[in-house]
Amino acid sequence: MPDQISVLVVWASGAGSEETARLQVAPGTTVEQAVAGSALVRQFPPSGGDDVRYGIWGKRAAPQSLVRDGDRIEIYRPLKVDPKLARTRRARKQKAAPGTKAAG
């Protein structure tokens, strides 16, 4: 068993940008420990308090999940607006604006 494994921690900071931290951790490290070790949450504190969620390669992961070599650990920001509501608002705006086409 290797002494260290490599993981990537990713924080979507908004507007299509992301911050990343690659780090070496010991086997048996949890998602929460890896995120804490990356310092990204301290640099970009989430506005939702304790509502921070995690994923590994796009699939939800519990904070206590063990990480594996090569994992991409994602920190999910709390949503500011319900996606269905945001979609409805965009559709109304496009419908109200003359001469615009809905993207499809």
Side-chain angles (χ1 to χ4, degrees):
M1 186 176 242
D3 294 355
Q4 299 280 296
I5 58 175
S6 177
V7 297
L8 180 68
V9 179
V10 180
W11 171 261
S13 52
S17 65
E18 65 182 28
E19 302 295 328
T20 62
R22 181 163 301 280
L23 55 148
Q24 301 292 314
V25 297
T29 298
T30 66
V31 167
E32 193 169 47
Q33 290 168 332
V35 168
S38 75
L40 288 178
V41 173
R42 287 189 299 279
Q43 289 176 339
F44 307 99
S47 58
D50 294 335
D51 197 24
V52 177
R53 297 189 178 160
Y54 307 106
I56 297 176
W57 291 109
K59 294 186 179 185
R60 280 286 299 274
Q64 303 78 24
S65 299
L66 298 180
V67 298
R68 295 184 287 177
D69 191 39
D71 275 350
R72 174 188 163 99
I73 302 162
E74 299 150 350
I75 306 168
Y76 301 136
R77 293 179 290 121
L79 296 175
K80 293 180 181 178
V81 177
D82 179 344
K84 290 180 184 178
L85 180 59
R87 207 170 19 253
T88 301
R89 287 178 181 168
R90 282 193 307 271
R92 284 184 186 152
K93 232 184 221 183
Q94 288 177 347
K95 191 174 183 180
T100 59
K101 292 172 108 177

